[in-house]
Amino acid sequence: MNVKMRVRLGDLLVQQGAITDEQLQQALTEQRKTGRKLGATVINMGLVSEQQLLTILSQHLNVPLIDIDHYRINQQAVKLLPEVQARRYRALVLDDKGESLLVGMSDPADLAAVDSLTELLPKPMELAVVSESQLFSAYDNFYRRTEDIASFAQELAEEYQQDQDFELLGGLENEQDTAVARLLQSIFEDAVQTKASDIHIEPDENALRIRQRVDGVLQENVIQEKNIASALVLRLKLMSGLDISEKRLPQDGRTHMRIKGHSVDIRVSTMPVQHGESVVMRLLDQSAGVLTLEQTGMPTAMLSRFRNLLHRPHGMILVTGPTGSGKTTTLYGALSELNKPESKIITVEDPVEYRLPRINQVQINNRIDLTFSHVLRTTLRQDPDIIMVGEMRDHETVEIGLRGALTGHLVLSTLHTNDAISSAIRLLDMGAPGYLVASALRAIVAQRLVRKICENCVIDDEPDADELFWLQHLDEKAATINFKKGRGCQKCNQTGYRGRVGVFELLEMTDAMMNALKQSDTVAFAEAAKRSIGYQPLSHVALTYAKMGITTLDEVLKLIEMVAEERRVPVATGQSENEADGAVDYGDV
C-alpha cells in the first residue's frame, strides 16, 4: 500500500494547514461524543468545507476526485459490495476495469476501512475520493429492494406450497419472523426509498406484478411466484382492519407504519379481479408534513391573488383537476395558512389524509349514512368560520355548500373537472341554480402536475417537427426558445425527470361572469372568463415552465393533449365536435 495512505486524516489536515492542532483536538473530542467519522465532524464543525477536504485527500493520496452525480456508474459492479458494508465503510464500487475495481470512498485515508474492503472485494482496488453526501444519495438509487423482494417471494413460495391454505398465515404469532412480513417490509422500504406515492399489487395469470408510481409514472417489478398473492393480500387486510373472509367485494381500509424513519399512513383499497384480488396502497408520508402554499409551485403573482381570496370572510373557492393532480395538497396548504386560534375550521373528508391540529376533521362513512351532505348540514350548526368539503359529489352537497358560502362561511372544496371554466358550468349541470352559483362562487383554481427536469443531467432539447407545429399555435416566439430536457442519470433512474411541480390556472369571478351564470348562459360565461384580467390557461403556464427550464416541452404537450382529449378536441385536426365551423383557439386549450 502507498506510504501516503498511512497518514491519518487529522494529521493530514494539520500538515496541509487546513486546521490547527487545537482544532484537531476539538474535532476529536466532538467525534468521541457523536461517533461520527472525523471527516464529517470537521465539516459539520465548519473547520473545512467538504470540497476542500476532498481536494486535500485527492492531491495527497494521488487518487482522482470523482463527482458521482455526473459519473456513469456500472450498476453490476455496485452489487459486488453489499449495501451494509458499503454504508459501513462509506464506499461504492463505481466500475469494473477488468483487472481491478474502481472504488469511491469519502475517506480513502481510513486505513481500517481500506483493509476491510480489500478482503471483501474479489479484485484489487483503485481508489477514488467521492462526496459523502453524494454517496448516501447513490446508496438509495442503486441498492433498491428489488432483489430482496424477489428473494423473499421465492422463500415464501417454497415455504407455503400452492395447495396450502394461506389463511393460516393470519394466525401466526410472530409476524416479523414470517417470509410474508419480510416481503412486505421490503416492498414498503423500496417504495419509501424511491418516494413512490402508490403501490399496486396485481395478480396476473402467470405472475404477480408489484408496481410503484414514482413522479406519476408506474415502475414495474414482476414476480414469478404468482401463488403468494393471496398471502400478501391477507396480511394487508389484517394490517388495515379489513374482512379477510370477504373476497368478492371491494374494501377500503387504512393502517400506519414507520418505515426507514418515516411515519407513513397507508390507505388500502382491494378489488376482486380475474386472478384474485388487486390491492392499491396510497402512501402518505406524515413525517414530511403538509406543504405550504409556496411549496406547491404556484407562481408568485397567482399566489398573492389566491391568498387575498382565502382571507375573505365568506364565499366558495373550488380547487379542480383529475385524480392525482394535487388538489388535496393545495387545500391542505390553504388550511395550514388559515389555521389560527381565532378561526373555527371544520373539514368533511373521505378519507382524512393528513391530521392537522386545532382543525375538526370528520371522516365520511357511507355505511352508516355519514355522507357529505349529512355531515355538512350538521357542520353549519357547529358555528364554523371555515369549512372544507373533500369533494362536491352530488346536487345536495353542492347546494348546501353554496348556501353555506352565502351565510358568512368560507367554503373550500374540490371538483373533478378539466379546467377552471368548466368547473362553474359543472355546478350548473349538477342542478345548482345559476343565481346561487353566481352569488356564492368567488374563484376556481385548476391544476395539473408535470414532471420536473432532473437538475443533475439537464441538456438542451431541440423541438421536432410535431412539437414545432404545436408551438406555433401556442406562442409564435416559443420556437426560438432554448428548451431543456434530462439526459438520464443515476439520480433520476435514467428517466431525465426528478420530482413534480404544479401547473395552475386561477379564475376569479367578475361581474360579467356572474351575470352569465345568473342566466345559466354557459357560452357567455366561457367568453367572459377568457377575457378576464389575470386569467392564464393551463397550457400557457406550463409553457412558461418549459421556457424557464423547469419542465420539458414533451410534458407541456402531454398536458395540452390531455386537456384537449378531455374536452373531446381531436388533436390531429384541432377541432371539437361542437366547433366544426372553425378552428380551436389553442391558446385556450
Side-chain angles (χ1 to χ4, degrees), residues 145-153 183 186-187 190 210 221 223:
R145 295 292 184 269
T146 50
E147 292 186 5
D148 289 344
I149 291 171
S151 174
F152 290 139
L183 174 56
S186 295
I187 292 172
D190 191 51
I210 299 177
N221 183 22
I223 294 177

Side-chain angles (χ1 to χ4, degrees), residues 26-27 82 88 109 139 183 187 194 219 226 260 274 318 322 402 422 449 498 504 514 518 538 573 577 583:
Q26 293 173 353
R88 178 180 179 183
Y139 292 150
L183 174 56
I187 292 172
T194 57
Q219 299 177 359
K226 62 175 182 176
K260 299 191 72 172
Q274 187 176 6
L318 290 177
L402 289 170
S422 62
L449 292 175
R498 197 174 186 210
F504 301 85
M514 288 189 283
K518 288 176 183 177
L538 288 166
T573 64
E577 293 177 354

Side-chain angles (χ1 to χ4, degrees), residues 341-562:
E342 60 270 20
S343 297
K344 167 99 171 188
I345 303 177
I346 301 178
T347 71
V348 188
E349 306 175 62
D350 184 23
V352 174
E353 296 198 7
Y354 292 94
R355 296 169 179 85
L356 300 175
R358 200 186 290 116
I359 294 179
N360 298 272
Q361 297 173 274
V362 182
Q363 168 76 53
I364 290 302
N365 188 342
N366 289 315
R367 286 180 292 184
I368 59 173
D369 198 32
L370 195 65
T371 61
F372 275 109
S373 56
H374 189 178
V375 177
L376 189 53
R377 207 177 287 110
T378 304
T379 296
L380 293 173
R381 296 194 289 269
Q382 289 281 310
D383 189 30
D385 297 294
I386 300 163
I387 302 170
M388 195 272 274
V389 185
E391 183 183 347
M392 290 293 176
R393 291 185 177 177
D394 52 55
H395 165 73
E396 190 176 8
T397 304
V398 169
E399 188 151 336
I400 296 172
L402 289 170
R403 294 192 184 280
L406 280 178
T407 54
H409 306 95
L410 177 65
V411 179
L412 307 176
S413 189
T414 70
L415 202 61
H416 285 274
T417 51
N418 306 328
D419 55 21
I421 294 176
S422 62
S423 299
I425 298 172
R426 173 63 178 151
L427 294 178
L428 298 178
D429 291 341
M430 294 174 75
Y435 72 89
L436 189 58
V437 177
S439 303
L441 190 60
R442 293 288 176 267
I444 305 168
V445 176
Q447 66 181 86
R448 295 289 194 282
L449 292 175
V450 295
R451 291 184 291 173
K452 295 167 63 178
I453 299 172
C454 175
E455 296 179 358
N456 186 58
C457 60
V458 60
I459 58 174
D460 290 338
D461 181 23
E462 189 70 29
D464 59 27
D466 290 336
E467 291 171 337
L468 286 173
F469 169 79
W470 278 98
L471 283 173
Q472 289 172 358
H473 291 282
L474 289 170
D475 186 344
E476 293 180 359
K477 297 180 181 178
T480 63
I481 300 295
N482 184 21
F483 292 101
K484 303 291 184 180
K485 66 178 181 180
R487 182 181 63 247
C489 64
Q490 63 268 17
K491 273 203 164 186
C492 60
N493 199 25
Q494 305 301 324
T495 63
Y497 297 98
R498 197 174 186 210
R500 291 188 291 176
V501 65
V503 177
F504 301 85
E505 67 179 19
L506 174 59
L507 180 64
E508 296 183 67
M509 294 299 106
T510 63
D511 290 340
M513 283 186 268
M514 288 189 283
N515 289 333
L517 287 174
K518 288 176 183 177
Q519 304 299 322
S520 297
D521 189 340
T522 57
V523 175
F525 172 80
E527 290 300 322
K530 293 173 187 176
R531 293 194 305 267
S532 63
I533 298 174
Y535 171 71
Q536 272 193 309
L538 288 166
S539 57
H540 286 194
V541 179
L543 183 59
T544 300
Y545 283 0
K547 291 178 181 178
M548 295 168 62
I550 295 174
T551 190
T552 62
L553 187 57
D554 184 55
E555 283 289 288
V556 175
L557 296 183
K558 283 180 182 177
L559 183 147
I560 294 171
E561 290 173 357
M562 179 172 63

